[in-house]
Amino acid sequence: MASANHRISPALYSYLSQPLEPSLSLVTSVLNASSNWLLARWISVALEDSLCPTSSVSSNCIAGANAQSVLFVSFLRDWMFWRETTKRIQCDLPRHCKDGRFLFVDGLSGLFCPAGFAASELGAASEGRAVLRDSHLESVYQAVRESIDKVKGQRPECRVLLLLDGLDLLLAATGADVESLLDVVSSLRESVHTTVVATSAGEALLQRESTPLEIKHASFNISLAHQARTVLGVRPLSTGVAKDVSGVLRITRGTEASDDESRDLEEREVLYYAGIDGGVKVFERGSG
């Protein structure tokens, strides 16, 4: 059983739990305030009923029609990183790979390797894992689409949660245009229940739109925000570093939130503290 320090904060849980209707959520972060801890907990909420707050077990934890499978595509971090990060919060990804409810697609290790690069030099894909090996946008789309089909085939009773970590990397690394990348997101969304896209959103990328890349990046994030049910932004404290606060999490309703969701989803700004043991405490300002 997870300790209280590692459980999902009740204040956060409702934003990470499975929505009734298909939806998109956007997660933004900056270099010195990573969203890794938030994505790890999103995975845990989907896979680990033991991490649900007691008050939420009956209605939201995995059971019957609420069961979820997770397809996680990361362009910034590899399997080892995510395995160890989720292990710290008692989420056993290898176990979920074996039971067919989790598939990890590595978009970092092999995406830009030269043609003919040996698979053995990357580490061959294994159970519950795949490696992207072609950076062309159409190839990335096809590989992710095939992975969605695989997840659905393994556990057809589960709704699929698709997490895309660092998808905006393709704007810089491959020269992909904004419209094409947005089309990829839209097409993938049609095949899953819930989509979460995590991007970088530093001031230089969103506010000082002086270079073509900055303009593309800002356009991509703003377009996703207009399509999203929720937007969760992770940033450092504006007042500087504090020993008991790691940063700020701001949660806002996206343009596509339904009227019912707009009433139920409270917009809020909370503080968080990430400990070295992987535990994260989320709390209101002034509450400590």
Side-chain angles (χ1 to χ4, degrees), residues 124-258:
S126 59
E127 185 176 33
R129 294 158 56 188
V131 180
L132 295 180
R133 304 186 188 280
D134 188 337
S135 61
H136 292 92
L137 202 54
E138 180 62 26
S139 298
V140 170
Y141 167 75
Q142 290 296 339
V144 176
R145 186 67 183 80
E146 290 171 5
S147 295
I148 292 173
D149 291 340
K150 181 176 181 180
V151 170
K152 286 183 171 180
Q154 291 174 160
R155 298 297 292 266
E157 77 279 10
C158 294
R159 290 176 170 178
V160 177
L161 165 64
L162 171 65
L163 291 113
L164 301 168
D165 172 41
L167 184 64
D168 50 319
L169 170 72
L170 299 179
L171 292 173
T174 70
D177 63 86
V178 173
E179 289 302 320
S180 295
L181 197 54
L182 289 171
D183 286 344
V184 166
V185 175
S186 296
S187 296
L188 293 174
R189 285 184 63 192
E190 293 176 358
S191 302
V192 300
H193 183 75
T194 309
T195 305
V196 178
V197 180
T199 70
S200 299
E203 182 180 352
L205 290 171
L206 294 182
Q207 297 180 15
R208 303 169 185 169
E209 303 170 13
S210 58
T211 70
L213 177 58
E214 290 166 359
I215 293 171
K216 287 169 62 176
H217 200 281
S219 177
F220 183 64
N221 273 328
I222 292 169
S223 295
L224 288 177
H226 280 297
Q227 299 175 30
R229 168 182 177 261
T230 53
V231 179
L232 298 91
V234 182
R235 59 177 173 79
L237 284 171
S238 58
T239 54
V241 179
K243 66 177 182 179
D244 56 351
V245 179
S246 300
V248 179
L249 172 64
R250 185 183 184 194
I251 305 170
T252 57
R253 289 187 294 270
T255 305
E256 289 302 308
S258 67

Side-chain angles (χ1 to χ4, degrees), residues 8-9 12-18 38-53 60-62 66 68 70 89 91 101 161:
I8 304 298
S9 165
L12 190 60
Y13 180 81
S14 62
Y15 301 99
L16 308 185
S17 60
Q18 179 185 179
L38 185 59
L39 296 182
R41 279 155 180 78
W42 218 310
I43 294 170
S44 295
V45 166
L47 297 176
E48 296 287 329
D49 57 341
S50 64
L51 291 178
C52 295
N60 290 306
C61 288
I62 56 171
N66 290 326
Q68 294 185 81
V70 177
I89 55 173
C91 182
R101 290 187 57 222
L161 165 64

